Amino acid sequence: MGLFDSVVGALGQAAGGDGQPDLMRLVLGLVQQAGGLEGLMARLQQGGLAEAAASWVSTGQNLPVSGAQLEGALGGDLLGPLARQLGLGQGDLAGSLAQMLPQVIDGLTPNGRLPAGDGAQDLSGLLGSLLRR
């Protein structure tokens, strides 16, 4: 079992089954499939969401994106497997991610910079803090 599975499993026990771990599993799965936070940011930038993605990392206000924008930037090769795994349509998944991703990336980059290394420690810390809110 990898770090991702361990973190999500621990969160499932801590959250008492209210669905939050499923949402975090979704976001973390996306980050992993994109090649980490840096890979995800690169995909967003290449997909035309450079300004919005940069706002999520910066210490200022997060710019919103629509599900359609996110779906266009990330593409079916990234969203499709996650959508099938969750039994959702790709557009529905993109809509949910559009609501969550700015907050998650903002939380992973509190100093206005991407975390050094693989970010695994930062991901586990963020999950804990999001569940406590």
Side-chain angles (χ1 to χ4, degrees):
M1 181 183 301
L3 175 63
F4 172 73
D5 293 325
S6 299
V7 169
V8 170
L11 287 171
Q13 293 171 355
D18 65 1
Q20 187 71 19
D22 290 338
L23 297 175
M24 296 317 303
R25 183 185 310 255
L26 167 70
V27 173
L28 288 177
L30 177 68
V31 171
Q32 277 190 325
Q33 287 188 12
L37 193 54
E38 287 182 13
L40 179 61
M41 294 301 292
R43 292 278 299 251
L44 292 169
Q45 290 166 352
Q46 293 166 358
L49 296 179
E51 184 179 359
S55 77
W56 305 342
V57 173
S58 76
T59 57
Q61 185 171 349
N62 295 334
L63 295 176
V65 295
S66 70
Q69 288 174 304
L70 200 55
E71 187 174 7
L74 297 179
D77 63 316
L78 190 59
L79 293 178
L82 283 173
R84 284 188 296 277
Q85 180 182 357
L86 295 168
L88 296 173
Q90 195 169 293
D92 293 334
L93 173 63
S96 294
L97 285 171
Q99 298 301 310
M100 296 178 59
L101 207 52
Q103 178 184 355
V104 171
I105 292 176
D106 187 52
L108 286 170
T109 58
N111 298 320
R113 296 188 322 262
L114 292 175
D118 66 6
Q121 297 290 32
D122 294 322
L123 288 174
S124 63
L126 172 68
L127 288 172
S129 68
L130 287 177
L131 287 175
R132 285 189 293 271
R133 287 185 186 173

